[in-house]
Amino acid sequence: MTTRRGFIQKTIQGAAIAASGGMLWSYLVLQNARASPFALRPPGALADRDFSALCIKCGRCVEVCPYNTLKLAAVADGAPLGTPYFEPRQTPCYLCPDIPCKNACPTGALAPGLEDVMQSRMGLALIDTEHCLSWQGLRCEICYRVCPLRDKAITVEAQRRGRSKHAMFLPVVHSRDCTGCGICEQACPTQVAAIRVMPANLIQGKIGDHYRLGWIHVTPEPEAPEGPGTMDGPTGTASAPEAGPVPGMDFLNQQDY
Amino acid sequence: MKVLWSWRYLILRRVVQLGVLLLFFGTLHWGWSLFGQPLLSGNLSSSMVVGLVPLADPFAVLQMLLTGHLLQPEVLIGAGLILAFLVVVGGRAWCAWICPVNLVTDFAGFLHVRTWRKNLFGLPKSLRYWVLAMALVLTMVLGLPAFEWVSPIGAMHREIIYGFGLGWTALLGILLFDWLVVKHGWCGHLCPLGAFYSLLARKTAQLRVQFDRNTCNDCGDCGTVCPEPHVLNLRRLTRDGQVLSGDCTNCGRCIPVCPKDSLAFGWRHQKRGPSSQPL
């Protein structure tokens, strides 16, 4: 016979076990899922949080990878448990045009909408200019020459060296086009790669929308008036750009302020 | 020969369990194929048979849906196929016939009975349903599939198929727990996947162990070997003429040990109904 007191005690004990067990479980899940933010994912991988929710850990992307680039993380490997990742210094992603890994993904953790592998953003190459041979004034530029998007993702900028009459040819990465395939990292001849691929969100800054770089951001022309008789409309005056789609173009730019 | 025959279900289960892992392993490492397509790619979470039939773990898919994400049709179809199959043959048939952790826990159960026989504490059989509820709640709260991220089952088949990491330590933990702390602790009390399958097919499972009250001599040998002995409750067996509990894994251990052959696999609709003999 359960007494009321006994029932309440049991309920409280059960709730205590559930709460502590649930918290412990949550720690384990979050530790597993978030412990290695440096893992590089296959082409088309969704943003970290969505990828972690959708990857079913079946390894089929790993299985179809023709270069054995992808690995499936075991416990205590370099990536969250059971998920696919690659280490470009060992084997980079060779950007198969048919993207077999994405096609093998049954859940959509690798975005099924990715059509052009050059649009994938696995990471972003980052040059350690202190240890890059080219940046010391030596002729190297290997990363530039192996880059599948040469002259877009990596360009070479000529610069006076000063120490001698020779120029320096400096490789520079451009995030707009870099896929993060890591072919540059694998090819880098320094003892430890001086160009490395990292998840872009870990290394990339953000200026902020309120900065206007006048030499890049061209003030948009006011829209042409639509149809007859709208010359007096609010968009009709060329001298007063509207606060609108362009961030930062707010009241300070209006004429009557 | 007679001994082998009495072990028929055990041998068959091991052949199926190891065979499935071998098919995955052979497809990945030795390029096994059929009609030019990989024979069985993936693992027990999600797989593809001969490039045509997708299969997926319905519990994993349920968790992913609960994170609030939409899924591709392939994995939904795969989960549906597995669901349909298990709903018919008995949900927890997965546990006894496919799940690789069963190899570990059966061994631990064997060691427990032969060498130890001492439980440190008792756990309620219903605990796994609370663990299941917890898994689903945490999945929604965290936005991550809570069981998939800690599952020793996933760790085991992944690491057997794709290469070993430290996942075996979780299995060692289960082995020690089941052997020395609580008999059948993991499969019988904690595993939410087993609880999920148990709930799923308790009303629909068609393949069931049939019981003949007229020949039973009440020796209780079946209950001794059963990993879920509460499913062999004599009163309910007599009433139903078969094992109806969703917790039954269809492992078939009880059938050969019965000295009177009172137990046998059969279909649910063939049930003999209430026995003519009073209890």
Side-chain angles (χ1 to χ4, degrees), chain A residues 115-136:
Chain A
E115 298 287 340
D116 177 7
V117 73
M118 294 305 177
Q119 295 301 319
S120 59
R121 293 294 177 264
M122 295 169 270
L124 179 60
L126 178 72
I127 296 174
D128 173 4
T129 55
E130 286 187 347
H131 298 102
C132 169
L133 295 177
S134 294
W135 280 79
Q136 311 316 308

Side-chain angles (χ1 to χ4, degrees), chain A residues 18 22 25-26 29 32-33 49-50 52-60 63 72 74-76 80-83 106-108 112, chain B residues 28 41-43 45-48 64 69 71-72 74-75 131 134-135 138 142-146 149-150 158-159 162 165-167:
Chain A
W25 192 342
S26 303
V29 171
N32 262 336
R49 197 175 176 81
D50 298 322
S52 298
L54 277 181
C55 176
I56 200 169
K57 309 180 180 65
C58 64
R60 280 159 64 188
E63 201 157 346
L72 203 63
V75 176
L81 178 61
T83 58
T107 62
Chain B
L28 176 68
S41 54
N43 60 28
S45 298
S46 162
S47 57
M48 180 64 90
M64 290 178 175
H69 288 79
L71 293 170
Q72 289 299 298
E74 184 195 318
V75 79
V131 176
M134 177 74 80
L138 287 183
L142 299 175
L144 293 168
W149 276 104
V150 297
R158 270 198 311 271
E159 297 200 356
Y162 290 95
L166 286 175

Side-chain angles (χ1 to χ4, degrees), chain B residues 52-106:
Chain B
L52 188 68
V53 185
L55 299 173
D57 173 356
F59 185 48
V61 169
L62 173 67
Q63 290 170 71
M64 290 178 175
L65 289 172
L66 287 179
T67 64
H69 288 79
L70 289 176
L71 293 170
Q72 289 299 298
E74 184 195 318
V75 79
L76 296 175
I77 294 169
L81 290 175
I82 294 289
L83 268 185
F85 180 73
L86 288 177
V87 155
V88 172
V89 303
R92 289 205 67 200
W94 148 271
C95 303
W97 291 80
I98 308 287
C99 182
V101 173
N102 178 262
L103 295 162
V104 176
T105 55
D106 272 3

